[in-house]
Amino acid sequence: MENCDFINMFDVESSINVAEFKKAVREEHSTDLEKIGQYKQYYRMVFKETGMRPSKFEPEPGYCYVKHKYKDVEIEILKASNEAKRVVYFFKGCAYINHLTDSALKEMQRMVRLLGDVDAISVNHRIAPEHNYKDLLSDTVNGYIWLLEQGYLPENIIFIGDSSGGGTALATAMRLRDLKMELPELMILFSPWANVAMDTPSYDAYRDADCMLGENGLLEYAKEVYMDQKDVHNPYVSPCYGSFENLPKTLIQVGTEERVLDDSITITEKIRKCGGEAILEVYKDMFHEFQSYYELDAAKVAWEQVVDFINVHYEKGVYIRGDK
């Protein structure tokens, strides 16, 4: 990492005890596999009875929340009260094995509040091991087609994905490009898991340091059920092995204590080598998906960088920074 001159390093002084915070995160995520299994069982029961995803999500004032089905794809939409022209397509990380949850929608709500005048959608795509990457990408591509049919222009669509959602966002962009479709203007990836093969040094080097993904076996299990060995370097499964020509302008953020650190470096380097625009921000002592912990000073800085990245590319600067 030291030899990568394209890395922007952030060392944010924290107002809280980060070591204690990471200890709590480690404990919080120690049973993620068990919790995912319980949710999937609950999901199947509710879906069998109602035909809908279990949800008690209520939007904040000023936003309208609706569900829509398009080509058998469940799309969940958060619309601003006025006629927003721009939209975030949010790909929530779920290690490729978990359904969309209300916590993901709450995260999307905080996201649009920070970004200002923008709508947002997320797709409850099919998951492993019940389905493979072809089904997942079919669903996410259909979500994009739905956005176009609603009148959103590609230049006003922003892909945002975290963890495996970052990998899905990248794979979806690659798939759209390969289908000769016009791509979204911007893509923002938080700690993307884009190498399901897990065959680069950071996966072992930061196993102990990674307070979210180091000990719970989540990545290892997801790799086993999502990736067939013959697909080990399939770019739609592990986008790090794909072609990086003609992708959206991309901002990538990652922490120094992440097993997926090499993925972010690889993505940035390959986009830039193909003549594309990519910015990589690495946050010292930060962990996987730290941006979703809004009480962290590093998360506040990271979101300020996201807003700046968007404003730079939309010259009128229509985005308004909300409460952190």
Side-chain angles (χ1 to χ4, degrees), residues 93-136:
C94 55
Y96 304 103
I97 62 171
N98 199 20
H99 298 283
L100 190 65
T101 65
D102 279 0
S103 63
L105 293 180
K106 291 176 183 177
E107 192 170 339
M108 189 167 73
Q109 174 77 81
R110 291 193 297 265
M111 184 182 302
V112 297
R113 174 161 39 85
L114 286 170
L115 297 182
D117 185 19
V118 61
D119 296 333
I121 75 160
S122 196
V123 169
N124 187 27
H125 58 68
R126 286 170 284 183
I127 57 172
E130 294 84 359
H131 300 276
N132 63 19
Y133 73 93
K134 295 178 183 178
D135 296 326
L136 186 156

Side-chain angles (χ1 to χ4, degrees), residues 20 35 58 62 71 73 100 117 121-122 144 153 163 178 217 219 225 242 246 268:
E20 287 298 316
K35 288 185 284 190
E58 293 288 341
K71 297 183 179 179
V73 179
L100 190 65
D117 185 19
I121 75 160
S122 196
Y144 184 75
L153 300 176
S163 191
D178 296 345
L219 294 189
V225 299
N246 303 316
T268 309

Side-chain angles (χ1 to χ4, degrees), residues 38-56:
Q38 291 171 348
Y39 179 73
K40 290 176 77 169
Q41 185 177 9
Y42 171 64
Y43 180 101
R44 286 192 293 268
M45 179 184 69
V46 174
F47 190 83
K48 183 177 180 180
E49 293 178 356
T50 68
M52 300 178 65
R53 180 183 77 81
S55 176
K56 297 179 180 179

Side-chain angles (χ1 to χ4, degrees), residues 186-205:
L186 303 178
M187 183 162 60
I188 299 165
L189 308 177
F190 301 136
S191 305
W193 185 26
N195 179 10
V196 184
M198 298 170 60
D199 54 5
T200 58
S202 65
Y203 282 95
D204 289 330

Side-chain angles (χ1 to χ4, degrees), residues 36-291:
I36 288 173
Q38 291 171 348
Y39 179 73
K40 290 176 77 169
Q41 185 177 9
Y42 171 64
Y43 180 101
R44 286 192 293 268
M45 179 184 69
V46 174
F47 190 83
K48 183 177 180 180
E49 293 178 356
T50 68
M52 300 178 65
R53 180 183 77 81
S55 176
K56 297 179 180 179
F57 175 75
E58 293 288 341
E60 295 178 0
Y63 292 90
C64 176
Y65 167 60
V66 294
K67 295 182 180 180
H68 187 76
K69 187 161 279 191
Y70 176 79
K71 297 183 179 179
D72 292 326
V73 179
E74 295 179 82
I75 302 173
E76 307 206 17
I77 308 123
L78 198 60
K79 287 190 67 68
S81 56
N82 57 350
E83 293 297 323
K85 293 184 178 179
R86 298 199 175 101
V87 61
V88 166
Y89 189 165
F90 181 44
F91 301 78
K92 177 58 187 170
C94 55
Y96 304 103
I97 62 171
N98 199 20
H99 298 283
L100 190 65
T101 65
D102 279 0
S103 63
L105 293 180
K106 291 176 183 177
E107 192 170 339
M108 189 167 73
Q109 174 77 81
R110 291 193 297 265
M111 184 182 302
V112 297
R113 174 161 39 85
L114 286 170
L115 297 182
D117 185 19
V118 61
D119 296 333
I121 75 160
S122 196
V123 169
N124 187 27
H125 58 68
R126 286 170 284 183
I127 57 172
E130 294 84 359
H131 300 276
N132 63 19
Y133 73 93
K134 295 178 183 178
D135 296 326
L136 186 156
L137 283 182
S138 174
D139 291 347
T140 58
V141 167
N142 279 329
Y144 184 75
I145 293 171
W146 181 84
L147 280 176
L148 298 180
E149 291 186 358
Q150 303 314 299
Y152 294 103
L153 300 176
E155 58 264 32
N156 288 328
I157 298 175
I158 305 168
F159 278 10
I160 299 182
D162 63 14
S163 191
S164 63
T168 300
L170 183 55
T172 302
M174 290 176 171
R175 182 59 179 157
L176 293 172
R177 178 201 59 200
D178 296 345
L179 290 171
K180 310 300 183 185
M181 295 181 65
E182 192 172 357
L183 269 63
E185 179 72 10
L186 303 178
M187 183 162 60
I188 299 165
L189 308 177
F190 301 136
S191 305
W193 185 26
N195 179 10
V196 184
M198 298 170 60
D199 54 5
T200 58
S202 65
Y203 282 95
D204 289 330
Y206 298 109
R207 181 188 294 272
D208 291 339
D210 194 327
C211 62
M212 187 178 290
L213 298 175
E215 298 176 353
N216 57 23
L218 181 61
L219 294 189
E220 285 75 12
Y221 173 76
K223 171 186 175 182
E224 180 182 342
V225 299
Y226 184 59
M227 184 185 72
D228 190 290
Q229 281 303 307
K230 67 178 181 296
D231 290 324
V232 65
H233 292 156
N234 185 321
Y236 294 146
V237 177
S238 291
C240 278
Y241 290 96
S243 169
F244 284 77
E245 289 87 359
N246 303 316
L247 291 178
K249 303 176 185 71
T250 303
L251 170 67
I252 304 167
Q253 295 179 341
V254 69
T256 58
E257 297 186 357
E258 298 204 42
R259 299 182 71 190
V260 300
L261 176 60
D262 286 345
D263 298 24
S264 293
I265 296 172
T266 297
I267 294 165
T268 309
E269 189 172 32
K270 288 189 173 183
I271 290 176
R272 291 165 68 97
K273 281 185 178 180
C274 291
E277 296 184 33
I279 298 170
L280 175 59
E281 297 177 353
V282 179
Y283 289 76
K284 189 174 184 297
D285 298 330
M286 284 297 104
F287 52 90
H288 194 63
E289 293 186 32
F290 70 92
Q291 300 90 340

